[in-house]
């Protein structure tokens, strides 16, 4: 794999189509989690910058070059962005890897998804033109009603660090397709590629203010965006505690929010699986992909007792075979977690599990061959009790906990024994059983005989404390549209509700 010798571009905030220094001129360090070195810095915005960006977004909506565009015109911008992202794929993947720590090939595949997502929402933007005005049949001839779908307005988009440019795209592409003007606040732990999206928007000539990108800390930049009175909606992806703060702040202004939060998703494995190695690989991928930092990670393995011992033996062999290395190295399959804070949090959850009586069957420590970087071995924990923290709390690291079951009823009960409801997976040859589990799982996503594959056409989101609202597919476009009822009186007759003065 040829990796270009990258330098982190030094950027300012992207506001009103140009690079602009934050009002307070502060910057935050960028840390490569594989080396723990500072590799650059990003601007730190505050409430003053938020206000400037929101005003720029509002102006964009009032100008013809953005506010009066058709879906077809916006589609051209989205396709131009997709083409530029594709052109810059190698460098964007490298920037993502040194900022986030995910293996380069995973980062490159995320960039492919980014391209596909912008193209997909370009198609939906075009299709919107024929759907933006629809007639609603009434029971009266004296009225005619139609419904307009129009851009919701200025939207605030707040994203996490685990799929930096992809999570940004899941929000930016549908928001622009709908015709909104957006202010994006990416995670302070991985903002580089979102800033590069600003440069791409500049290069393709996206009208000024249609997308503004403010990097910075959650409480300094995210919070004023949520509380800004001229922001019409907040779309948020991140942790549960931050989601609660955002929902509380938005409630003060009756501002709509969509929340994509954490998870503790189950993977139920039955003893009728036709091939143990295939099942074992999905189990690993379901939990250890993206260094275990996936909201929907199936981090609770619920395995039928009749094959548990054989399955765990094979799982151990596969786990030992995972290449842990600098994520820029070829064939790396597990890189570091995002930050020192996350590293310490994951190790603490593992040690608490041990103290509570669980068995660390494999891993649980820094890999011996890597002295620097926030690396944690893929970890498998058995003898888990449902009262333990490791069973209940999202780890967001490469940690799988295991419980066995005897009956279907027991498996369902264990699967749903969580406050979260994002994903759930079942591996079984019996498709009728898979159907029963699909109905019984309390989740927004179900995987059958796999775990984690994620496409841009179907809806994505959770229930319970994993949040509400759906991203991706046509569902996401609806998040950014106002539905306006227009009713016209078409009769020549007077309304005749009041007595006419002429008849007095
Ligand atoms: N459901 C999903 O689709 C999905 C996808 C990816 C990640 N996640 C979840 O995200 C979490 C990990 O991401 P994270 O650590 O970046 O989450 P986080 O909640 O710490 O931060 C997310 C974003 O919110 C901002 N923020 C923090 N405090 C804020 C405040 N008071 N007001 C406004 N914004 C604020 C942060 O700066 C960041 O941009 C995990 O829980 C994971 O499960 C969910
Ligand atoms: N594959 C994308 C998953 C997004 C959530 O973390
Ligand atoms: Na980083």
């Amino acid at each position: 794999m040829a990796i270009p010798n990258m330098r982190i571009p030094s950027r300012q905030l992207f506001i009103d189509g140009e690079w602009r220094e934050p009002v307070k001129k502060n910057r935050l360090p960028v840390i490569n989690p594989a080396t723990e070195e500072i590799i650059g810095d990003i601007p730190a915005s505050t409430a003053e910058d938020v206000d400037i960006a929101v005003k720029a977004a509002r102006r964009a909506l009032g100008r013809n070059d953005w506010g009066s565009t058709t879906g077809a015109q916006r589609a051209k911008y989205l396709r131009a962005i997709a083409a530029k992202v594709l052109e810059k794929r190698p460098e964007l993947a490298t920037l993502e890897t040194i900022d986030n720590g995910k293996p380069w090939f995973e980062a490159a595949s995320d960039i492919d998804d980014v391209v596909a997502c912008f193209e997909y929402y370009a198609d939906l933007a075009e299709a919107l033109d024929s759907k933006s005005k629809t007639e609603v049949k009434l029971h009266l001839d004296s009225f005619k009603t139609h419904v307009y779908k129009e851009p919701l307005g200025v939207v605030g988009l707040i994203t996490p660090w685990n799929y930096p440019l992809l999570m940004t795209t899941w929000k930016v592409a549908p928001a622009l397709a709908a015709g909104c003007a957006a202010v994006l606040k990416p995670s302070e732990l991985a903002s580089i590629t979102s800033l590069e999206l600003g440069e791409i928007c500049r290069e393709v000539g996206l009208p000024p203010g249609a997308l503004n990108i403010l990097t910075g800390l959650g409480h300094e930049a995210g919070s004023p965006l949520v509380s800004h009175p001229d922001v019409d909606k907040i779309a948020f992806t991140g942790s549960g505690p931050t989601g609660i703060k955002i929902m509380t702040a938005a409630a003060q202004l009756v501002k709509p929010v969509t929340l994509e939060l954490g998870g503790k998703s189950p993977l139920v494995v039955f003893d009728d699986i036709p091939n143990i190695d295939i099942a074992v690989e999905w189990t690993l991928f379901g939990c250890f992909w993206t260094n275990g930092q996936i909201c929907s990670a199936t981090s609770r393995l619920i395995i039928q007792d009749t094959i548990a011992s054989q399955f765990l033996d094979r799982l151990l062999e596969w786990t030992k075979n995972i290449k842990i290395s600098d994520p820029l190295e070829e064939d790396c399959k597990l890189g570091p977690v995002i930050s020192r804070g996350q590293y310490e949090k994951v190790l603490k959850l593992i040690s608490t599990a041990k103290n509570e009586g669980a068995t660390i069957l494999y891993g649980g420590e820094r890999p011996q061959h890597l002295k620097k970087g926030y690396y944690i071995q893929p970890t498998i924990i058995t003898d888990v009790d449902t009262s333990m923290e490791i069973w209940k709390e999202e780890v967001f690291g490469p940690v799988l906990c295991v419980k066995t079951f005897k009956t279907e009823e027991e498996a369902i009960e264990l699967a749903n024994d969580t406050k979260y409801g994002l994903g759930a997976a079942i591996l079984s040859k019996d498709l009728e059983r898979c159907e029963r589990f699909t109905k019984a799982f309390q989740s927004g996503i179900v995987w059958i005989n796999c775990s984690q594959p994620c496409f841009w056409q179907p809806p994505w989101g959770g229930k319970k404390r994993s949040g509400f609202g759906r991203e991706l597919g046509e569902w996401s476009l609806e998040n950014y549209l106002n539905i306006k009822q227009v009713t016209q009186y078409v009769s020549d007759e007077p309304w005749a509700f009041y007595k006419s003065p002429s008849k007095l």
Side-chain angles (χ1 to χ4, degrees):
M1 177 182 57
I3 292 171
N5 193 11
M6 289 296 300
R7 286 188 42 180
I8 306 278
S10 179
R11 300 274 181 217
Q12 299 292 355
L13 304 174
F14 186 66
I15 300 179
D16 215 5
E18 19 175 83
W19 296 109
R20 195 176 175 136
E21 195 176 29
V23 170
K24 293 200 173 156
K25 303 187 191 308
N26 290 336
R27 297 189 71 88
L28 299 168
V30 173
I31 294 169
N32 178 347
T35 60
E36 302 181 36
E37 279 164 12
I38 294 178
I39 53 172
D41 53 33
I42 50 167
S45 15
T46 55
E48 293 81 351
D49 305 299
V50 170
D51 193 51
I52 295 168
V54 171
K55 287 195 169 100
R58 186 60 64 189
R59 280 197 303 277
L61 289 177
R63 275 197 331 265
N64 287 344
D65 66 353
W66 186 248
S68 306
T69 46
T70 61
Q73 287 166 327
R74 295 193 296 276
K76 285 194 180 143
Y77 291 118
L78 293 173
R79 291 209 178 93
I81 292 171
K84 275 276 174 204
V85 172
L86 186 59
E87 194 184 303
K88 298 185 183 203
R89 177 184 187 264
E91 59 202 87
L92 287 171
T94 303
L95 288 173
E96 202 78 298
T97 292
I98 59 181
D99 199 8
N100 164 285
K102 67 171 66 194
W104 190 90
F105 283 101
E106 290 188 26
S109 129
D110 289 358
I111 302 301
D112 293 337
D113 275 15
V114 166
V115 173
C117 225
F118 274 109
E119 283 172 350
Y120 176 79
Y121 282 102
D123 291 348
L124 290 197
E126 269 171 354
L128 198 57
D129 285 338
S130 61
K131 294 185 202 154
S132 61
K133 184 178 174 185
T134 48
E135 196 185 338
V136 178
K137 284 272 171 244
L138 301 176
H139 63 292
L140 293 174
D141 292 334
S142 46
F143 291 93
K144 267 196 173 162
T145 290
H146 62 267
V147 165
Y148 266 126
K149 287 187 176 180
E150 59 182 18
L152 192 56
V154 173
V155 292
L157 315 176
I158 303 180
T159 55
W161 45 259
N162 64 336
Y163 285 81
L165 190 57
L166 188 58
M167 290 300 102
T168 281
T169 302
W170 281 18
K171 297 187 187 341
V172 168
L176 295 183
C180 290
V183 179
L184 166 74
K185 209 303 279 171
S187 166
E188 59 274 29
L189 293 176
S191 287
I192 303 178
T193 49
S194 291
L195 282 173
E196 290 317 288
L197 180 63
E199 179 59 9
I200 287 171
C201 290
R202 212 185 54 77
E203 287 171 3
V204 305
L206 186 74
L211 175 64
N212 306 275
I213 303 169
L214 301 181
T215 50
L217 299 172
H219 65 282
E220 287 183 359
S223 179
L225 182 60
V226 177
S227 302
H228 198 291
D230 205 26
V231 171
D232 297 298
K233 182 211 162 82
I234 294 290
F236 171 74
T237 297
S239 66
T242 308
I244 291 170
K245 282 188 201 158
I246 286 177
M247 199 171 164
T248 306
Q252 310 315 307
L253 297 163
V254 199
K255 187 177 293 191
V257 291
T258 43
L259 299 179
E260 298 281 356
L261 308 177
K264 190 79 186 176
S265 302
L267 171 84
V268 179
V269 181
F270 278 89
D271 64 4
D272 65 350
I273 42 164
N275 182 314
I276 199 161
D277 279 329
I278 291 176
V280 163
E281 191 179 2
W282 281 119
T283 307
L284 294 190
F285 187 74
C287 189
F288 300 150
W289 184 39
T290 314
N291 307 337
Q293 302 165 128
I294 312 185
C295 49
S296 52
T298 38
S299 53
R300 292 181 302 134
L301 167 63
I302 299 168
I303 172 104
Q304 195 157 21
D305 58 354
T306 39
I307 54 156
S309 156
Q310 187 195 357
F311 193 89
L312 286 177
D313 285 348
R314 199 67 187 138
L315 189 68
L316 266 181
E317 286 173 47
W318 275 76
T319 305
K320 287 177 190 163
N321 212 29
I322 292 175
K323 177 171 174 180
I324 316 170
S325 70
D326 186 302
L328 288 173
E329 262 185 41
E330 200 152 4
D331 289 338
C332 170
K333 290 292 187 283
L334 193 89
V337 296
I338 185 78
S339 64
R340 172 148 303 274
Q342 192 65 15
Y343 175 78
E344 283 166 1
K345 183 190 146 194
V346 174
L347 289 180
K348 184 155 188 299
L349 279 159
I350 295 170
S351 77
T352 305
K354 215 165 152 182
N355 294 338
E356 287 182 339
T359 301
I360 312 302
L361 187 67
Y362 185 78
E365 290 169 1
R366 159 183 288 282
Q368 284 310 305
H369 66 290
L370 293 161
K371 304 293 175 216
K372 271 230 160 245
Y374 309 126
Y375 293 94
I376 299 173
Q377 291 170 311
T379 299
I380 301 169
I381 305 184
T382 54
D383 299 318
V384 171
D385 187 89
T386 57
S387 65
M388 290 179 185
E389 196 178 25
I390 201 68
W391 176 259
K392 293 196 283 196
E393 298 304 325
E394 182 182 47
V395 176
F396 228 57
V399 179
L400 177 72
C401 65
V402 185
K403 269 199 86 57
T404 58
F405 70 90
K406 285 190 193 319
T407 64
E408 261 192 45
E409 294 68 30
E410 201 188 340
I412 283 289
E413 202 176 312
L414 285 170
N416 289 335
D417 178 36
T418 168
K419 62 188 172 195
Y420 295 111
L422 188 54
I426 173 165
L427 309 187
S428 169
K429 192 174 74 175
D430 180 348
L431 292 182
E432 281 177 17
R433 169 152 58 203
C434 293
E435 183 64 19
R436 284 194 295 280
F437 271 70
T438 297
K439 288 182 181 152
F441 281 140
Q442 296 165 355
S443 67
I445 304 155
V446 171
W447 282 288
I448 297 174
N449 290 325
C450 60
S451 174
Q452 301 311 310
C454 173
F455 310 101
W456 47 91
Q457 303 94 335
W460 179 276
K463 59 188 290 195
K464 294 163 85 176
R465 286 201 224 166
S466 292
F468 52 83
R470 291 293 179 268
E471 295 201 295
L472 296 180
E474 60 196 56
W475 295 267
S476 195
L477 201 58
E478 299 292 326
N479 288 333
Y480 300 102
L481 292 168
N482 181 43
I483 309 292
K484 185 179 268 177
Q485 181 209 135
V486 182
T487 293
Q488 185 182 353
Y489 187 51
V490 291
S491 162
D492 294 329
E493 296 300 314
W495 184 226
F497 179 77
Y498 298 104
K499 198 177 263 185
S500 165
S502 58
K503 289 187 187 159
L504 281 177

